[in-house]
Amino acid sequence: MARFYVDGNSARFTRKDICLVDMELFGGEIVEDLEPRRLFPVSGRMKYITLLDSEGKEHAIIRDVETLSPESKEVILECLREYYLIPKITGLLERTEKFGILKWTVQTDRGVQQLRIRNRNSDIKQLYDGRSLVRDSNDNRYEIIDYRKLDKNSLKLLSADI
Amino acid sequence: MKVESVLTNKDVPEVIQNAFNECISPDEQLLFVVVGDLSLKAKYEQTALGVTGKGFMVYDPEREEPLKKYAHSDVADAKVKRMYGNARLRVNFKDGTHEDVFRFTYSVATLADMAANFIENIAAGKSEDEEYEVVCATYEKLMNVCPKCGRTLLHPGAECINCQSKGKIAKKLVKYIKPEVKTLVLCLILSALTTAVALAPPYMTGRLVDKVLPEKNRGALGWIVLALFGTYIFQHLIGALRGYLLRCSGDRIVLSLRNDVYKKAQSLPLGFYDKTSTGSVINRISGDTNTLQAFMLRISQEVVVQFFLGVGIIVIMLVLNWRLTLLSLIPVPLVVVGAKIFRRKIMPFYRRIWRRWAGVVSVLADSIPNIRVTKSFAGEERTVNKFKSYNQEWLNTDVSAAKIATVFPHIVSFCVTCGSLLIWSVGGNWVINGTGGLTTGLLVSFLSYASMFYGPVNFFAYLSDSYQQALSSAERVFDILDAEDEPDEAKGNCPPIKGKIEFKNVNFSFDRTKKVLSDVNITIEPGEIVGIVGTTGSGKSTLVNLLMRFYDQYEGEILVDGVNTKKIDLQYFRSQIGYVQQDPMMFSDTVYNNIAYGKPDAHVEEVIHAAEVANAHEFIARQPDGYDTMLGERGVGLSGGERQRVSIARAVLKNPALLIFDEATAAVDSETEHLIQEAIERLISGRTTLMIAHRLSTLRKANRIIVVDQGRIIENDTPEALMALKGKYYKLVQIQTMADQLAKSKQEENFE
């Protein structure tokens, strides 16, 4: 079955709900209540956004959000911002380790948060571009955009774990 | 309804507590509070959802009006919408409007699920008392955590495995050293002897320089040379014996440690392997245990020997000349401080090196068993490049560590050399001036002792290096040894199993991000043959995984003959289940041993009978080596259908009470399917059987069909009733009949 890819101005998106959009195709066809989700939440955050209905059926894939009209782009980005909560860690304020469990107090773009990391080997993943992905004991995700650019104190605290 | 105290997951902040108190009418009581951590605008804030018998309140400081109250009677339904890293509680009201009332991270997702159910059920008129019982049970389960580390306990009052076993590393390692104590003590005595003997030559050299050579005493010269020869022979003979004993002892230590880690790895739950790569586990069993063995020997032997050697030398040096001794101690503080700095710098590197190395091993563990796939897709070059890049990463990290690891010892050596220069310049002047009571021979002896003294100093400086390496290895080894076993609270409870299976309100998610099974309620009577159908990823195999107790952290209950499966001895329970997978794994062993895997003491004829029942005997008999045919890791030498029949024979031999077929005929041709089908039909008679199948033809014997869709049971009835219902099952049958007809007509065309 051929997959329908949305490129450039081939479709217009309007916001329906916090995480839902309506898609109006160039030919006038309208598909309502679609949920935009990233196909590559880690590696390609602006590309290949799938549009799913309430049954989880895919109706289209947006190849690249950047190619959409400014209004449609904003609508999709708003939905994605609401759906994906991956706080960016901007600094490590405190680090303790007890009984093999790491406790970090971090400054994020969403405020200060305390998190517990059960296994530093599997819950802290370092990507090759300096990004680090962190998963806490509750399965919440965090991201360090580039750990090398953190302040000196954070780096010092992090050096034991990254 | 009256409750004694308000249930809550955390202390409710005063400002929220006051806001709730002001909002509650005198005739209602706060039942429970879920203290959240995220505002509706996705900022970390202390929020709360308070629920009473009449309504619920939400406090969100980011809103213009932080507190909002809603009545249960206005609610049509309440659902938790799970997103990525956060979730929302959405309430649909009877007037057709909806509102996202509460947003939270996964930390409180389970409580929010429970709150949504409570609100919806109370709104639907269900009993408040009964719903509150569910709330209490959820809180009790969630709050059932270790006060020290916050880890969820297996059951209320259970000892936290994590805290219980985290003592000092040395204490844990003592267990492995204990059986070798006698040998190690003997080695220590031998060491003490060689060390004591090693202290003699410098003294004799001093005598040679001061007395024997100036006096030209040839007799004494001969005796001293002979004595030196004797000490060297003694040192090396005893040294060799000690080395041999130590090696044997060390091998036994690592053997026992490795066995323990491997045994533990076998009893870990599947959840551990979902999160940990096999490469990293193999690395821990092979590499880390060796590092620990080397460290244990260093600690139990060298530390003692070097310590006493150091003390012995210092005493002799003090006796020879206390002022020169003080001079020679000058570099020691530098070495100690340097070691401390070194320790701090090198530790992160060791962890990084290990991670990189685990990456390399993971590539190996992935690519070598999949060599057929690699070759068939001409992926050799890609695999080699991937390996190279991981290897390069390891090299880069190791080289960075090497800079620190090699520079430091040289700094130490430099300090030590400077120390000997000090002794030469000061001591030499004393000899020339004839002051300080120092002779040439004494100075030479002293220099020999000083250089020997820096041996223990160096050793202790380097010890921090091997200590750091061992610490890093120990962390990972104990990560396995201290990990929680598959929970088996009911060891020894082995009730006879007839085969009634019940799933009661079962909910499950692998992590908290997505529910894989929701509200599953099924009852299967003994002897029933039940087909489980559904699209890929609908949760069919997860149902079976939960029944097999591969995952235990689910909500609700799974009962077999009315007994919770968690209350049945795990090994016994699994031994009562015959499990046939889609891609059966074969061990590198004979066909015979592969069939007899579940019953190693089976009689030969039982094994042959099992093979006959499974339609496997004929093809085995055709093999040149018959039942002695050796199979490779993945059953190399057998076709997919043959492997499947061997695995059915395995199940037949077990004579299980419950049978599970997970897509057993999905990967074979129609003729083989027929043979397998025949074998299955022989096997299932009288046994409760669950058959997961894509090919609905496999289910022709099933007297009930369960249709799973997105983790929910959407249809559950006889095949005839489901066909009449014209629901999902009907559609699946239609699609498959069409596909079969199409395939058949194509086949016919080809024949013509």
Side-chain angles (χ1 to χ4, degrees), chain B residues 269-277 510 551:
Chain B
L270 279 186
F272 181 88
Y273 290 98
D274 290 344
K275 290 181 179 171
T276 317
S277 74
F510 285 102
Y551 301 93

Side-chain angles (χ1 to χ4, degrees), chain B residues 38-53:
Chain B
L38 203 63
S39 70
L40 283 166
K41 290 178 182 166
K43 292 276 177 203
Y44 288 126
E45 294 285 357
Q46 278 202 313
T47 59
L49 167 72
V51 183
T52 69

